[in-house]
Amino acid sequence: MEFPSSPQPPPTLPRLLEIIATLRGENGCPWDIKQTPESLKIYLLEECQELIEAIEADNEQNICEELGDVLFLLGFLISMYEQQGAFTASDVLGGIIDKMIRRHPHVFAGQKITDEQSLRDQWDRIKVQEKENR
């Protein structure tokens, strides 16, 4: 089967989410439409395992492909929760950006870390503080 080739927009996360919305939309794919977070768990596990195997084999082509598969499933899950009104892709991205900045004050806040153990201790302290603040 040949697919028509037309110019594609640049690959971005918003573009991936648009494709997922189309797949799950009114005229989308019946399989995609019927999926739930619960039904996707097994696929997420399988794709993560395939990514791990590709990393262990040091096969960059397979790693790239498997990263795409995992990213797709993560986008699929985000889309589902967006449809439910639980949170948005921006909430997910904002949350992880904030967390990584907060957990790396030695990079983003000018703190000095002299060794790896101090780094681990700092990470653990920050995680404890985060849990206490929830």
Side-chain angles (χ1 to χ4, degrees), residues 105-107 109-115 118-119 122:
H106 55 286
V107 175
Q111 287 187 358
K112 299 291 182 218
I113 295 289
T114 56
D115 60 80
S118 297
L119 185 63
Q122 173 181 273

Side-chain angles (χ1 to χ4, degrees), residues 13-14 17 74-75 78-79 81-82 87-96:
L13 183 58
L17 295 175
L74 295 175
I78 289 169
S79 176
Y81 285 100
E82 269 188 333
F87 50 79
T88 67
S90 290
D91 296 331
V92 174
L93 291 170
I96 193 59

Side-chain angles (χ1 to χ4, degrees), residues 22-62:
T22 300
L23 290 171
R24 291 185 46 80
E26 186 176 322
N27 297 313
C29 172
W31 186 89
D32 291 299
I33 292 168
K34 76 176 188 175
Q35 297 310 306
T36 66
E38 186 68 27
S39 69
L40 288 183
K41 291 187 321 187
I42 188 68
Y43 301 110
L44 185 59
L45 282 171
E46 287 174 5
E47 294 300 342
C48 286
Q49 183 59 44
E50 290 174 10
L51 174 58
I52 290 167
E53 290 169 5
I55 291 168
E56 288 173 345
D58 195 27
N59 184 322
E60 292 175 353
Q61 184 176 350
N62 284 356

